[in-house]
């Protein structure tokens, strides 16, 4: 039976499917032809939470179960709505109607990481329902649901236990409802495939038939809720296609750029090419006279680089008319001091800082004595550039003012709560009057954790007094980002006569935003970063280059660049020690779990990483004989609670032509929720990381980003994509996210393989700027 996913329209709709209760129902009915009730804005009218529950759960005697994300969520007393139903909180994750429609709510933004599928799978497993016979409904922003964001690979670890308890609690109540209906002991009953079965007689009732009774029951004691054992799982760990896949391949309006409302105007917002610059003047009268243009005006903005900056807004009847008007726009900018900055100057300043001691972040042992007594000492400098997220869907948002002085927002944001806060604080609108809904997102990678484009749309709509759909051009998207920080590492390492790493020093130079005292967004390096805690003599220093370039999280923030530098230098040390690269790393890891440095940190499970490393070496055929010009490279990294190791196998022709043939990946993130989605995430991480390491760089000229579109900021083409083999070690550790930890090992694995193939050690990215020729 085909699974139906509620479309990501302005309000999550639910397809009407009313199977019979006789268990021999055929395919579900298609969506009803009738349209949902719409308000004056053209969107489905808002219901209060109480009205929502009454309409969906009580009017038909249905059963609604919800929970908040407080630590004691499931221990809260049931809220009595009337004589026929109770819910845990006013925010349901599970809704079961008497006509046997089971709806599970997906709470977090779907950005391609598959969370709209995998989170409902967790509920469905414990609820004991068939996944292809339920409805998945995308929730809007709702504080009752707890944190709603997509970032940090946190959706699974934050929700796994609570959603399992929600499903198990609902199942327990449905079984109790059947026991009371039949007047039989609970011990004689079992839930299976959306029914409760009386084992002695074979009688069964569907969840729909039990919904009204279950809605009258009190919340069971938490201690009586029995979760499944992992070996009892029938859904988790299997392959399940994304619930939106049919809608995506048939071109349904799921994404932000697809959204429309009645009376909508199309907007473009032109900002200063130098970050933080302000409008001095603009040819507004000329722009207003252009065909299809409704208005043009200046927005003064704020000094918040992640918020509303100064710019010129153009409102038009179509996106094309707005873009045409933008091409005729002439703005005189007050560019500020940032106009004097450029990448070459950053490089020069970084070299100056590297020549002197920096701020000490960690200092273990006696680093000077260790270097003095070492058998071999190696020094090397590594660097990496700014890079851009390059999401396929450029930034966009739809906003419209409401009659009560509020604002409604529909946007592809990774942080809908952050969007609400930013709009409230910037436009001085009471937070409770700002309603935020989020669409499926056409690529995020951390860029949409910031909501500058959302507040821009809201500010334009507020001034225009009409619905406004803001869309950025590709050039704007490239030149107004929050970039992965560039950085420089000046390493010095020592090995003893037995080939063991005994000393490590990293003089790290990073970037700040208008500061040489504080690193910019995602530009920090933790004192706990590997190999900290694993080397007896360890020193980490930091210095900061003052820039005007905003930075922020990009897939596996911090780790995506640190992995390249650290794991490449470890490879150099293994070579200097005359040891096999895998054996050298295993020796460095040891067999102990290193404790966290502080309450906010994480322990480092060395045996777990060693297991991952051994497994990837075995699966990749590490050490096999390869022809001249071919090589294997290995790297591992602990990132976002995930333990990953990768082996890259590639060849380099004498003329320097590079071909990456195969990447073998092994990861340990605990139990896998959706195997199909998990493999997709890791394969995507590998391709993303290879694209960045091989091709991508953002440079600054006269305070401006020099790159503009995919001709100057290319993405990896399918002909250059390697075979990616993924294997998971499904340990008994708590589950973690998968969107990021597969990224960091790839760049160093590739660079180490290039060394093995050519003898050339690559210490800066991207690879396109390196000479790979050999003879």
């Amino acid at each position: 039976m085909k699974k139906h996913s509620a479309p990501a329209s302005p309000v999550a709709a639910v397809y009407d499917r009313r199977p019979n209760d006789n268990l021999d129902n055929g395919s579900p009915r298609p969506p009803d032809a009738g349209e949902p009730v719409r308000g004056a804005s053209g969107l489905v009218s808002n219901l209060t939470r109480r009205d929502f529950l009454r309409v969906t759960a009580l009017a038909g005697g249905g059963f609604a179960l919800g929970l908040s994300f407080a630590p004691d969520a499931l221990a809260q007393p049931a809220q009595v709505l009337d004589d026929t139903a109770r819910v845990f909180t006013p925010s349901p994750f599970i809704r079961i109607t008497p006509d046997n429609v089971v709806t599970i709510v997906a709470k977090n933004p779907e950005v391609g990481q598959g969370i709209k599928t995998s989170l409902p799978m967790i509920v469905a497993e414990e609820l004991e329902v068939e996944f292809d016979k339920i409805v998945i409904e995308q929730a809007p922003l709702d504080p009752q649901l707890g944190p709603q964001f997509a970032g940090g690979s946190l959706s699974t670890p934050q929700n796994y236990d609570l959603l399992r308890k929600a499903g198990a609690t609902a199942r327990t109540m449905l079984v109790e409802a059947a026991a009371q209906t039949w007047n039989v002991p609970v011990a004689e009953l079992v839930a299976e495939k959306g029914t409760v079965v009386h084992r002695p007689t074979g009688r069964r009732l569907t969840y729909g038939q039990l919904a009204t009774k279950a809605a009258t029951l009190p919340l069971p004691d938490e201690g009586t809720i029995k979760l499944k054992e992992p070996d009892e799982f029938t859904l988790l760990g299997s392959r399940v296609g994304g619930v939106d896949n049919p809608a995506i391949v048939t071109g349904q309006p799921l994404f932000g750029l697809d959204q429309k409302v009645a009376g909508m105007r199309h907007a473009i917002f032109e900002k200063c090419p130098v970050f933080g610059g302000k409008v001095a003047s603009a040819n507004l009268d000329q722009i207003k006279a252009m065909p299809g243009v409704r208005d043009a005006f200046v927005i003064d903005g704020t000094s918040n680089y992640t918020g509303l900056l100064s710019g010129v807004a153009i409102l038009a009847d179509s996106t094309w008319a707005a873009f045409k008007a933008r091409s005729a726009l002439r703005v005189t900018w007050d560019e500020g001091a940032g106009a004097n900055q450029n990448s070459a100057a950053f490089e020069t300043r970084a070299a100056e800082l590297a020549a002197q001691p920096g701020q000490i972040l960690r200092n273990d042992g006696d680093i000077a004595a260790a270097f003095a007594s070492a058998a071999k000492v190696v020094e090397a400098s590594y660097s990496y550039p700014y890079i851009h997220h390059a999401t396929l869907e450029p930034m966009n948002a739809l906003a419209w003012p409401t009659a009560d002085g509020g604002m409604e927002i529909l946007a592809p944001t990774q942080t809908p709560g952050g969007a609400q806060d930013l709009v409230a604080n910037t436009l001085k609108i009471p937070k409770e009057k700002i309603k935020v809904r989020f669409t499926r997102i056409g690529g995020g990678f951390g860029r949409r954790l910031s909501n500058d484009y959302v507040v821009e749309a809201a500010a334009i709509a507020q001034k225009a007094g009409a619905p406004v759909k803001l869309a950025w051009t590709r050039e704007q998207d490239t030149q107004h980002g929050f970039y992965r920080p560039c950085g420089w590492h000046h390493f010095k390492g020592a090995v003893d006569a037995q080939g063991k790493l005994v000393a490590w020093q990293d003089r790290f130079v990073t970037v700040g935003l208008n500061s040489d005292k504080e690193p910019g967004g995602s530009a920090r390096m933790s004192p706990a970063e590997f190999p900290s805690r694993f080397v007896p003599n360890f020193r980490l220093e930091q210095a900061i280059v003052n820039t005007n370039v905003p930075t922020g999280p990009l897939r596996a923030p911090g780790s995506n660049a640190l992995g390249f530098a650290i794991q490449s230098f470890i490879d150099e040390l293994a070579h200097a020690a005359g040891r096999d690269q895998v054996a050298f790393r295993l020796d460095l890891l040891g067999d102990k779990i290193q404790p966290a440095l502080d309450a906010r940190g994480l322990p480092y499970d060395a045996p777990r990483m060693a297991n991952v490393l051994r497994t990837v070496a075995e699966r990749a055929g590490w050490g096999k004989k390869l022809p001249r010009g071919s090589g294997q490279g290995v790297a591992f990294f602990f990132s976002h609670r995930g333990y990953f190791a990768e082996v890259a196998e590639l060849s380099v022709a004498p003329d320097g032509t590079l071909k990456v043939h195969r990447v073998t990946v092994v990861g340990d993130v605990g139990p896998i929720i959706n195997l199909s989605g998990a493999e997709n995430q890791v394969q995507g991480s590998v391709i993303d990381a290879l694209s960045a390491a091989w091709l991508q760089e953002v440079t600054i000229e006269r305070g401006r980003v020099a790159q503009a579109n995919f001709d100057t900021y290319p993405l990896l083409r399918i002909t250059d994509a390697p075979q990616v083999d993924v294997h998971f070690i499904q340990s008994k550790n708590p589950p973690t996210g998968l969107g990021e930890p597969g990224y960091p090992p790839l760049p160093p694995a590739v660079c180490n393989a290039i060394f093995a193939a050519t003898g050339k050690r690559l210490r800066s990215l991207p690879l396109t700027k390196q000479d790979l020729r050999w003879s």
Side-chain angles (χ1 to χ4, degrees):
M1 186 176 292
K2 184 179 178 181
K3 170 169 61 265
H4 290 291
S5 169
S9 58
V11 173
V14 180
Y15 290 160
D16 183 7
R17 27 185 315 282
R18 300 176 183 272
N20 299 321
D21 264 342
N22 61 8
L23 300 178
D24 190 25
N25 30 29
S27 299
R29 286 173 42 184
D32 285 350
E35 289 291 319
V37 177
R38 298 181 180 270
S41 67
L43 300 180
V44 180
S45 299
N46 289 323
L47 298 176
T48 66
R49 177 159 306 285
R50 195 175 189 87
D51 289 340
F52 173 76
L53 286 172
R54 289 183 185 279
V55 169
T56 59
L58 304 184
F63 168 43
L65 170 66
L67 63 149
S68 75
F69 274 75
D72 60 344
L74 291 174
Q76 295 179 12
Q79 178 191 5
V80 179
L81 293 180
D82 61 21
D83 292 338
T84 61
R86 299 182 180 206
V87 295
F88 297 151
T89 73
S91 175
F93 284 99
I94 301 167
R95 188 163 64 253
I96 302 172
T97 61
D99 54 356
N100 206 34
V101 175
V102 178
T103 299
I104 297 178
V105 172
K107 64 184 285 285
N108 283 5
E110 174 56 63
V111 69
Q113 83 282 43
I115 213 69
K116 187 176 177 181
T117 303
S118 59
L119 290 187
M121 284 177 66
I122 298 171
V123 179
E125 178 67 72
E126 291 289 355
L127 182 58
E128 189 58 44
V129 291
E130 295 176 281
F131 199 68
D132 60 352
K133 295 180 181 178
I134 64 173
V135 173
I136 308 298
E137 179 179 296
Q138 180 68 64
L141 179 64
D142 186 341
Q144 298 291 336
L145 292 173
Q148 289 177 272
F149 67 93
S153 294
L154 289 171
S155 290
T156 296
Q158 283 190 343
N159 293 289
Y160 182 73
D161 288 340
L162 286 169
L163 292 181
R164 285 189 67 192
K165 290 177 182 177
T169 300
R171 166 172 44 84
T172 300
M173 296 177 73
L174 288 160
V175 170
E176 177 61 31
Q180 294 187 19
T181 299
W182 285 324
N183 194 25
V184 298
V186 166
E188 294 181 357
L189 304 176
V190 62
E192 62 177 37
K193 297 182 179 181
T195 68
V196 178
V197 180
H198 184 228
R199 284 178 289 194
T201 64
R203 290 180 295 173
R204 63 179 62 211
L205 291 170
T206 68
Y207 284 177
Q209 290 170 320
L210 293 167
T212 300
K213 181 67 175 178
T216 67
L217 298 178
L219 180 70
D221 181 81
E222 186 175 5
T224 67
I225 305 301
K226 184 180 183 300
L227 299 179
K228 289 184 177 182
E229 294 296 328
D231 60 6
E232 297 178 298
F233 291 164
T234 58
L235 178 61
L236 296 188
S238 67
R239 296 181 184 274
V240 176
V243 296
D244 282 342
N245 287 358
I248 292 172
V249 300
T250 56
Q252 300 304 305
L254 301 180
F255 298 94
L257 284 174
D258 296 325
Q259 306 307 311
K260 299 177 182 179
V261 294
M264 181 181 78
R265 298 176 185 175
H266 296 265
I268 195 81
F269 188 59
E270 186 72 359
K271 294 184 286 192
C272 182
V274 177
F275 301 106
K278 297 181 178 298
V279 177
S281 63
N283 59 335
L284 297 180
D285 291 337
Q286 177 186 343
I287 298 302
K288 292 178 184 179
M290 292 184 68
V293 174
R294 293 294 189 96
D295 201 359
F297 47 82
V298 172
I299 291 180
D300 292 334
T302 69
S303 60
N304 179 7
Y305 278 47
T306 61
L308 181 64
L309 292 175
S310 175
V312 177
I314 300 173
L315 289 172
D317 293 330
S318 67
T319 302
W320 177 248
F323 283 11
K324 287 287 286 182
R326 175 181 178 261
S327 67
L329 181 65
R330 301 292 179 265
V331 184
T332 301
W333 300 103
D334 176 5
E335 296 180 344
N340 300 319
Q341 297 191 355
N342 59 76
S343 291
F346 298 159
E347 292 277 355
T348 299
R349 180 56 179 157
E352 294 171 352
L353 291 171
Q356 52 190 296
Q359 175 192 4
I360 298 175
L361 300 183
R362 186 177 176 91
N363 191 21
D364 296 336
D366 188 336
I367 197 82
F371 284 134
S373 62
K376 288 188 178 180
V377 176
V378 179
E379 295 188 62
S381 296
Y382 283 79
S383 64
Y384 40 83
Y386 292 111
I387 62 174
H388 169 52
H389 301 81
T391 64
L392 290 185
E393 180 185 23
M395 302 303 109
N396 66 89
L398 176 57
W400 61 97
T402 55
D404 63 352
M407 187 72 64
E408 292 213 28
I409 294 167
L410 182 60
T413 170
Q414 292 180 246
T415 52
Q420 184 184 53
D421 289 339
L422 180 61
V423 171
N425 294 332
T426 305
L427 304 184
K428 310 305 178 187
I429 300 174
K431 184 175 177 178
E432 63 273 13
K433 291 187 177 182
I434 300 172
K435 309 301 180 187
V436 179
R437 300 181 182 91
F438 43 93
T439 66
R440 187 180 177 96
I441 300 171
F445 314 115
R447 173 57 180 90
R448 286 181 161 96
L449 293 171
S450 296
N451 288 287
D452 48 330
Y453 58 98
V454 177
V455 74
E456 289 168 6
I460 297 169
Q462 186 184 58
K463 187 160 185 175
V468 167
K469 181 179 180 178
L470 172 71
W472 287 19
T473 66
R474 174 63 61 192
E475 290 76 12
Q476 288 177 316
D477 194 77
T478 302
Q479 297 178 331
H480 291 282
F482 300 96
Y483 307 96
R484 193 280 303 278
C486 57
W488 302 262
H489 295 261
H490 302 276
F491 292 119
K492 187 175 182 180
V495 294
D496 63 14
Q498 288 73 45
K500 291 181 176 291
L501 180 59
V502 294
W504 177 286
Q505 177 177 289
D506 182 2
R507 187 164 288 171
F508 171 49
V509 181
T510 186
V511 289
L513 178 59
N514 298 318
S515 171
D516 60 4
K517 305 298 182 186
E518 288 292 327
S522 298
R524 298 178 182 274
M525 185 172 177
S526 167
E529 195 65 68
F530 188 87
S532 169
R533 297 174 284 180
F534 290 84
V535 183
N537 305 287
F538 180 92
R539 185 180 179 93
L540 175 62
E541 300 177 6
Q542 174 184 276
I544 301 171
V545 176
N546 187 356
T547 81
N548 188 46
V549 182
T551 58
L554 182 146
R555 197 172 197 167
S559 306
N560 57 39
L562 298 177
F564 158 67
I566 293 170
Q567 285 288 318
S568 294
F569 187 57
I570 287 175
D571 213 69
E572 288 203 59
L573 291 166
H575 183 73
R579 299 186 62 188
D580 173 80
Q581 286 82 358
V582 171
F584 184 81
R585 286 172 168 83
L586 288 171
D587 187 58
L588 176 58
L589 283 166
D591 57 3
K592 295 180 180 178
I593 298 176
Q594 298 294 334
L597 290 184
D598 54 45
R600 296 184 60 188
L602 295 171
Y604 196 113
D605 192 332
R608 191 175 173 188
M609 182 63 86
N611 187 32
V612 167
L613 181 57
R614 290 190 191 95
T615 305
V616 79
E618 178 183 349
R619 296 183 70 88
W622 177 258
K624 64 185 177 183
K625 186 175 179 60
L626 295 171
R628 189 178 181 192
S630 297
Q632 287 181 313
V634 65
F636 66 81
F637 213 82
F638 173 54
S639 170
H640 293 75
R641 298 176 174 82
Y643 292 82
F644 272 77
E646 299 177 14
V647 171
E649 186 173 323
L650 52 77
S651 61
V652 183
D655 65 358
T657 301
L658 172 65
K659 179 64 177 178
V660 182
H661 301 287
R662 179 187 178 202
V663 176
T664 305
V665 185
V666 173
D668 182 351
V669 291
I672 298 299
I673 308 302
N674 180 4
L675 184 56
S676 176
E679 290 175 342
N680 174 275
Q681 283 297 285
V682 174
Q683 291 167 342
S685 293
V686 167
I687 298 301
D688 203 6
L690 182 59
S691 184
W694 195 343
L695 305 170
Q696 295 171 358
E697 177 183 32
V698 166
T699 57
I700 306 299
E701 299 175 4
R702 297 185 298 115
R704 298 155 165 78
V705 171
Q707 292 69 30
N709 209 316
F710 291 140
D711 58 335
T712 51
Y713 194 84
L715 303 180
L716 193 74
R717 306 302 291 265
I718 194 168
T719 53
D720 293 318
Q723 174 184 334
V724 182
D725 299 330
V726 181
H727 174 73
F728 296 107
I729 297 173
Q730 299 207 41
S731 65
K732 295 183 178 180
N733 295 283
T736 67
L738 265 172
E740 295 168 285
Y743 186 123
L746 187 280
V750 167
C751 291
N752 295 338
I754 291 173
F755 174 77
T758 68
K760 290 193 170 186
R761 184 67 69 180
L762 304 183
R763 299 187 180 96
S764 65
L765 299 175
L767 300 180
T768 49
K769 297 184 71 173
Q770 313 305 315
D771 182 3
L772 302 185
R773 292 174 296 177
W774 60 275
S775 62

